[in-house]
């Protein structure tokens, strides 16, 4: 049975005003249903991991909300970081705690705030990755690139090691537009969606090789995890851990060493980066409008291809607009063309500059 | 000295969500300053009428707000209707109460929710109208038509009775587009802005002639106005009064009788009918944006020619839009192109159909 670790961190400023420092996007129902992105992630993993095999790593600010949203996940599997230390510390802690409980564990690492349209394809890809992990590889799910996206990292696929499983020659940083176009044209590059499957022990060995300090820290914590000294130890060790992404710290050097594989997957994946991406990912109504949240308080008149994030307490009315984003919360309103949805980040920057911190 | 009566009624559904049944447009600061339309109306009249010569007729729902906004107007001059009975009953009551207190009074009647850009021109026109009223005419301020507007009534001007004062041959209902164009081309038609000046006694005589029931009712009320029986009498008589506009009941037939004149005036008048009209009437910033309300919570990025009604408690952020209306209150949001601002009325109708009465 696969262990699944959900990394529930990050806020997602391009989904402001919905996504906030104190209420990040994974807690929101940005799924076209009542389920939050976090809950949808857990639902997606249910056929692969029973609830007692699901782990979540999250911060102090969101631990309570995470626990309530994922009521089937045992308390002991909700690992709360005293401070954000990026994904390597988070994945490392989960691997160390899981390995302490089950030394032979194979585990997946998944983001809490992505959408995947093709559930069967996802399950098949994870099963292939799990088989590769059992053979000692660090496996990633590589997303078939459908456009020359400059906002993602890429995996360069090399030789085939098994049916549907390829070696990863290299990790590539976010490319400029011409390079991204060349990547897509070659057919050998996949989007790095941050989904990994590996034996906990294998990952910890690689971590020990490339980041011995981080490895020692998470091992020490895991050894004391069930003891009364856990909180004091965590408070002492955690803030000293190196702040680095798991890709950069472990996967990239391991790939150079020939120990990383990828399962190319065409599974309607999106990282829900902004409101436009959300509109592309979820089905709209007959006019192409996507209404998130409480539809009963939305009044549209001759509106097309518009993404509306509604709030239960406010009426949202629109007349005669197209291709717009209208996002409403009880304390903020955003209006912006879908094509410029990425610029929402600058609004958050502007609010921060003004010192209006309660709105960000 | 001129008496001025401000008719503070009507809600203004095309300014939803700002204008509401329980908070009509005249109470809102739609003036480009902190002053409400009602306060701006009183400010405009200050050079013509001292506060003790200013009267307001309003409904039970808004009496308290009106009294607080116009703190200089004496309690005794705030006439509260038990129920809305249209403008003839309102103007008739004011005329009768004023005539009871000063039989020789000359009084103006003004709407609470208009904007006038040319203060000097306004004062000059009212002074000319006052002079005509002193000679026994019912005088109107006729607005020089600047476009073939189909949403207003028109006055057909005839012979000149004094410098800058013309007889009104006829009142014309809201015309179809071709007729409106012909009106503007002729130069003899003026917009009826609902601003009248007359001797209270003259008006009451005309009212007695054309609407004897209304006349008897308001006279009886005025006679008992300072007595303890006023409230009981008002509650009994008022609901029985005919519901009709002062234009239709008195001015139109009096014009046919040759007793109505108009002072043509080019004074940057607007009835603030919708958000687009507001954007045309008030000066915008360097990008042509007009922000009403609390500017400190508005964040604009590459936005042009947009009318934004902000709310003190919400951030309103917009990116990359033009010629839009974005109107925000604590419980509702409207987004619509300026060119379609009139359709806001249909949103209110839709909310009424749905039974969402608390939002209208």
């Amino acid at each position: 049975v696969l262990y699944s670790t959900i990394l529930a961190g990050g806020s997602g400023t391009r989904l402001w005003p919905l996504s906030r420092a104190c209420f990040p996007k994974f807690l929101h129902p940005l799924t076209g249903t009542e389920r939050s992105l976090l809950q949808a992630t857990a639902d997606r993993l249910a056929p692969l991991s029973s609830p007692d095999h699901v782990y979540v790593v999250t911060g102090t600010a969101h631990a309570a909300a995470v626990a309530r949203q994922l009521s089937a996940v045992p308390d002991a599997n909700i690992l709360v970081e005293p401070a954000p230390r990026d994904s390597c510390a988070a994945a490392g802690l989960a691997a160390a705690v899981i390995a302490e409980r089950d030394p032979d564990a194979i585990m997946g690492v998944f983001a809490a705030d992505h959408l995947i349209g093709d559930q069967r394809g996802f399950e098949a890809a994870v099963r292939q990755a799990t088989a590769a992990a059992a053979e000692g590889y660090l496996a990633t799910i590589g997303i078939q690139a459908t456009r020359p996206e400059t906002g993602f990292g890429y995996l360069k696929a090399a030789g085939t090691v098994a049916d549907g499983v390829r070696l990863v020659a290299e990790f590539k940083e976010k490319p400029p537009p011409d390079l991204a176009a060349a990547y897509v044209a070659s057919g050998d590059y996949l989007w790095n969606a941050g989904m990994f499957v590996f034996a906990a022990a294998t990952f910890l060995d690689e971590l020990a090789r490339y980041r011995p300090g981080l490895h020692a820290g998470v091992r020490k914590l895991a050894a004391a995890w069930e003891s009364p000294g856990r909180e004091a130890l965590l408070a002492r060790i955690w803030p000293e851990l190196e702040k680095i992404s798991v890709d950069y710290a472990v996967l990239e050097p391991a790939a150079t060493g020939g120990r990383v594989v990828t399962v190319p997957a065409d599974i309607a994946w999106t990282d829900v980066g902004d409101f436009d991406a959300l509109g592309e990912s979820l089905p709209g109504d007959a006019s192409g409008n996507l209404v998130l949240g409480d539809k009963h308080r939305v009044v549209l008149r001759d509106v097309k291809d518009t993404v509306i994030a509604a709030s239960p307490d406010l009426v949202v009315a629109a007349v005669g607009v197209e291709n717009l984003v209208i996002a409403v919360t009880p304390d903020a309103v955003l209006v912006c063309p879908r094509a410029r949805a990425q610029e929402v980040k600058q609004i958050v920057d502007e609010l921060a500059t003004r010192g209006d911190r309660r709105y960000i």
Side-chain angles (χ1 to χ4, degrees), chain A residues 85-291:
Chain A
R85 301 309 292 166
D86 212 328
S87 61
C88 193
L93 177 66
V97 169
I98 290 170
E100 196 75 30
R101 295 176 185 172
D102 178 356
D104 300 323
I106 292 180
M107 61 183 279
V109 175
F110 305 95
D113 52 7
H114 295 173
L115 278 174
I116 291 175
D118 178 359
Q119 173 70 23
R120 276 166 182 274
F122 170 72
E123 287 176 39
V126 174
R127 290 204 164 95
Q128 278 187 298
T130 304
E135 296 186 22
Y137 287 110
L138 302 178
T140 79
I141 311 295
I143 304 297
Q144 306 267 11
T146 52
R147 58 178 191 277
E149 174 66 50
T150 58
F152 301 150
Y154 286 71
L155 309 170
K156 184 182 181 185
T160 300
V161 298
D163 190 32
V165 183
R166 296 178 70 180
L167 266 176
V168 172
E170 241 186 308
F171 278 65
K172 295 286 190 181
E173 301 282 328
K174 296 174 185 180
D178 51 341
L179 194 54
Y183 284 178
V184 175
S186 80
D188 282 333
Y189 289 80
L190 301 154
W191 289 339
N192 175 13
M195 289 188 278
F196 307 113
V197 184
F198 39 63
T202 306
F203 177 75
L204 289 164
D205 286 349
E206 296 293 323
L207 185 62
R209 185 194 308 242
Y210 299 114
R211 286 294 187 279
L214 257 170
H215 175 261
V218 298
R219 283 289 202 184
K220 198 181 290 184
L221 284 168
W225 203 252
E226 321 292 349
S227 80
R230 161 177 156 182
E231 284 190 338
L233 193 68
L234 188 63
R236 184 162 62 77
I237 289 179
W238 194 261
E240 307 299 322
L241 294 182
E242 188 179 5
K243 200 168 180 173
I244 189 169
S245 77
V246 66
D247 307 59
Y248 191 73
V250 178
L251 277 295
E252 289 191 29
T256 309
R259 292 183 300 279
V260 178
V261 295
T262 186
V263 179
D266 184 9
I267 53 177
W269 169 89
T270 170
D271 74 339
V272 196
D274 58 43
F275 286 109
D276 184 47
L278 206 51
E280 292 298 319
S281 307
L282 296 174
D285 66 15
S287 303
N289 299 313
L290 173 65
V291 178

Side-chain angles (χ1 to χ4, degrees), chain A residues 32-34 289-299 310-312 316:
Chain A
T33 72
E34 305 282 292
N289 299 313
L290 173 65
V291 178
L292 300 157
D294 190 346
K295 291 170 176 58
H296 299 95
R297 298 258 173 274
V298 175
V299 185
S311 180
V316 180

Side-chain angles (χ1 to χ4, degrees), chain A residues 6-11 21-24 26-27 38 55-68 77-86 89-90 93 112 225 230 234 238:
Chain A
I6 302 172
L7 303 186
S11 64
C22 62
F23 203 75
F26 59 78
L27 295 175
L38 173 67
Y55 283 68
V56 189
V57 186
T58 193
T60 54
H62 312 307
V66 166
R68 287 178 178 151
N77 294 11
I78 296 177
L79 312 182
V80 183
E81 308 168 287
R85 301 309 292 166
D86 212 328
L93 177 66
W225 203 252
R230 161 177 156 182
L234 188 63
W238 194 261

